[in-house]
Amino acid sequence: MSKALVLIAPGFEEIEFCVPVDILRRGEVDVTIASILEKKCSVKSRNGIMVEPDCLVSDLPSDLLYDLVFVPGGLPCAEAFVESKDFGEIYTKHNNAGKLVAAICASPMALNAHGINHGKKVTSYPAMQSKLEGNYQYCSDAVVVDGNMITSRGPGTAFDFGFTLLELLKGKEVKDKIASGMLCS
């Protein structure tokens, strides 16, 4: 079974979190939700929805590799990832192992801050473009896949982002079946 790790921090954008997690779980991907906080507690989203993570990042076994690591956006969340040593270590480890690394909305700026895949194609929420140009080839597509890195623009592209992640993990047939069942075909 494919395994995915989703990191969250306070102020995460709930659509960018819930939609891809739901799509991946419908596609039978084992999704672990980990908080970058120091204490296990519910994490408050951008609009006040509380999410109980499965664990803390500090609880994850250091030798465990997931097939995919992704993060939602939301500016406060993305800024927390920029400052997080754990984020940088997890993304660097998975990227170096050739695993899928993904970010949506404002969170590609955390990839930049931690030096993940400079030189590749990337997209983000439009207001983040200036924070990414220079180190990346900036695109305005809804979802950009360049090698093992996947980025997307924002809440309105969350379905495209989630289905792209599912297809990369499980194949087009599974993605099409789940999309059809969700009336997204």
Side-chain angles (χ1 to χ4, degrees):
M1 176 180 273
S2 297
K3 294 182 180 282
L5 175 64
V6 185
L7 305 179
I8 59 172
F12 69 91
E13 170 56 60
E14 46 276 280
I15 293 172
E16 298 163 359
F17 164 78
C18 289
V19 169
V21 168
D22 181 85
I23 289 169
L24 291 171
R25 287 185 171 167
R26 287 173 191 252
E28 298 183 0
V29 174
D30 181 12
V31 179
T32 299
I33 301 162
S35 167
I36 67 166
L37 297 176
E38 294 179 12
K39 183 176 123 184
K40 190 160 187 244
C41 60
S42 295
V43 180
K44 190 175 185 178
S45 73
R46 179 183 176 278
N47 291 306
I49 297 171
M50 304 298 285
V51 170
E52 184 70 31
D54 298 314
C55 62
L56 297 172
V57 168
S58 59
D59 296 334
L60 297 170
S62 62
D63 60 341
L64 182 60
L65 282 174
Y66 292 84
D67 301 297
L68 162 69
V69 178
F70 91 83
V71 288
L75 190 56
C77 176
E79 289 171 339
F81 294 146
V82 165
E83 299 298 323
S84 172
K85 179 182 170 196
D86 289 330
F87 174 98
E89 290 173 355
I90 289 169
Y91 265 74
T92 298
K93 176 176 76 171
H94 284 81
N95 187 56
N96 290 347
K99 302 299 182 179
L100 299 175
V101 293
I104 186 171
C105 193
S107 286
M109 72 183 204
L111 300 176
N112 189 26
H114 294 282
I116 306 297
N117 289 328
H118 283 165
K120 289 196 173 191
K121 293 179 184 174
V122 69
T123 195
S124 68
Y125 193 77
M128 298 296 110
Q129 182 174 345
S130 65
K131 296 181 185 299
L132 300 170
E133 289 178 323
N135 288 327
Y136 296 100
Q137 300 169 50
Y138 195 85
C139 305
S140 59
D141 299 342
V143 178
V144 172
V145 178
D146 191 350
N148 68 320
M149 186 167 78
I150 306 95
T151 53
S152 189
R153 309 250 320 150
T157 63
F159 277 91
D160 293 336
F161 181 63
F163 285 124
T164 298
L165 298 177
L166 182 60
E167 183 171 356
L168 291 168
L169 286 173
K170 303 285 282 209
K172 184 174 179 352
E173 186 176 320
V174 171
K175 186 270 294 183
D176 288 346
K177 178 181 175 193
I178 300 303
S180 177
M182 293 176 70
L183 307 178
C184 292
S185 53

